[in-house]
Every structure is written in C-alpha cells, then in structure tokens.
Amino acid sequence: QVQLVESGGGLVQPGGSLSLSCVASGLRFSLYTMGWFRQAPGKEREIVGFKTWTGTNTFYRDSVKDRFTICRDNFKNTVYLQMNSLEPDDTGVYYCAAKIRDGNEFTYWGQGTQVTVSS
C-alpha cells in the first residue's frame, strides 16, 4: 500500500520560512516524479512544483520561483519543500504527490499539511 505522509506545516509570519517533508512508502521511490501542490480556501488545487524521478529537472510555478526549493533524498524516500520569503498568498493545504517516471498524472497523494502565513 502506497502512503505519502507530509509534515512541517504551521503558522508563520510574512517573510518567514517553513520546510515541509513528505515520506513515501510502498513504492520504489527512485522511479517516481514527486510533486507538491497546494489548495487555498475557496480555490482550486494548484501545482507548486515537482522534481523528476531522475532528479535532473525541477519545475516551479512562477509565483514561487526563487523562493521555494524542492529536493529529494532517494535513500530516505523523502521529498522536501523549502519555502522562504513566505507571503499570505502562500497560505493553504500543501499536498505531496507521486507519479511513475514521466507519467501524465500524479496518482498517489498525501493527506496534506496546513501552511498559514499571517501576521
């Protein structure tokens, strides 16, 4: 059974930083592209970014470029999302997701972790 478990969310002031982690089990982690998504209240879920299964390519949505960084550790079956210079618009539930190699859709999802950016 595949499980993705996120952690690290919380409340942070604007301009602050948070680091999210997602530990995967039940799959061959090194063969999966890992992504981060978020959903703000009343809005649709959107992609934050992803790192390919080879580790050679990383995509970020424009609004988080130069502020967020995705890393993966294949020995720990873990993908990280380092978030710096956080803004109120970054508030939402953050989800980790996995898709096999370069598949079209993310097929496995975590339960999400809340990130709130507020003063």
Side-chain angles (χ1 to χ4, degrees):
Q1 180 180 0
V2 175
Q3 281 192 315
L4 303 178
V5 180
E6 304 98 333
S7 62
L11 173 64
V12 63
Q13 292 187 342
S17 297
L18 274 178
S19 181
L20 306 184
S21 300
C22 170
V23 180
S25 60
L27 52 71
R28 190 170 173 182
F29 186 77
S30 62
L31 296 183
Y32 282 78
T33 289
M34 300 301 296
W36 286 97
F37 292 75
R38 68 186 180 189
Q39 186 167 21
K43 295 186 177 181
E44 292 187 353
R45 186 170 60 194
E46 62 184 19
I47 190 166
V48 174
F50 63 83
K51 182 173 280 291
T52 58
W53 65 284
T54 59
T56 56
N57 292 302
T58 310
F59 163 85
Y60 300 98
R61 69 180 300 107
D62 286 347
S63 61
V64 308
K65 282 181 182 177
D66 300 324
R67 299 190 298 123
F68 289 12
T69 302
I70 298 173
C71 298
R72 62 187 295 157
D73 185 336
N74 287 350
F75 293 103
K76 296 182 178 180
N77 285 7
T78 302
V79 61
Y80 305 94
L81 178 64
Q82 176 64 41
M83 304 184 291
N84 299 325
S85 302
L86 282 161
E87 304 168 354
D89 283 349
D90 295 319
T91 294
V93 179
Y94 281 68
Y95 299 90
C96 169
K99 63 177 180 178
I100 186 72
R101 294 189 180 93
D102 301 316
N104 291 328
E105 295 184 2
F106 286 87
T107 52
Y108 300 110
W109 295 83
Q111 82 289 348
T113 186
Q114 176 70 44
V115 171
T116 303
V117 184
S118 174
S119 55

